[in-house]
Amino acid sequence: VAGRGRRMDEMLEIIHAFWTRESVDYHGEFFDFEAAGMAPRPRDPVPVWVGGRSRAALQRAARQDGWLGMNYALDEVFALLGQLRDIRKDCDSSQPFETFVIPTAAATPDLYDDLEQRGVTGSMAFAWPAGDPAFASLDAKRHGLGEFAESFIRR
């Protein structure tokens, strides 16, 4: 949908305003309203993570608190992490920034060590790929869980 990135930017601006000010009026390209408020407002800042693979999405994430990169091929994850790192060079590095990725790659300790070295702060590992017919039986699932435990839990 055309304009969805600009719409998201306005939404984020409005959300942050409601979280930090007693009264907010807004007159933008997509949203237009007179003074309104939200109660209760959060006591502490609420982290906002943004997903997406476009340069605009990565820039948007860099202005917020984190990036979600989910279900991308490993080579694409690495490329996106490189782009994000370059974009973040111009950001305030004293602010916490989270990077959570779920690559479509076999889970191995080396993979997660590599991701950590590339600045990834969180991920999720699966004992087998979702929907893989090789893991349809209960025995296959037990075997997959056993191998996963050997690789990660007992490491």
Side-chain angles (χ1 to χ4, degrees), residues 35-147:
M38 182 182 91
R41 291 191 319 270
R43 278 185 228 156
D44 299 317
V46 177
V48 175
W49 296 6
V50 176
R53 61 171 55 127
S54 69
R55 181 150 186 90
L58 295 173
Q59 290 170 328
R60 187 171 297 108
R63 292 190 303 268
Q64 299 300 320
D65 305 296
W67 178 66
L68 298 166
M70 297 172 25
N71 304 321
Y72 302 145
L74 192 54
D75 58 339
E76 186 175 15
V77 169
F78 290 160
L80 291 168
L81 289 170
Q83 289 178 47
L84 186 60
R85 185 181 54 249
D86 291 343
I87 292 167
R88 293 262 318 139
K89 286 179 185 174
D90 297 329
C91 296
D92 181 359
S93 61
S94 69
Q95 296 301 311
F97 189 81
E98 301 289 327
T99 305
F100 187 94
V101 300
I102 302 175
T104 55
T108 66
D110 288 342
L111 168 64
Y112 294 102
D113 289 344
D114 189 8
L115 290 171
E116 183 179 22
Q117 292 301 313
R118 294 171 189 261
V120 172
T121 56
S123 187
M124 193 178 330
F126 300 95
W128 58 82
D132 188 335
F135 292 93
S137 73
L138 182 57
D139 284 340
K141 287 177 173 66
R142 283 184 179 136
H143 180 74
L145 286 172
E147 287 186 350

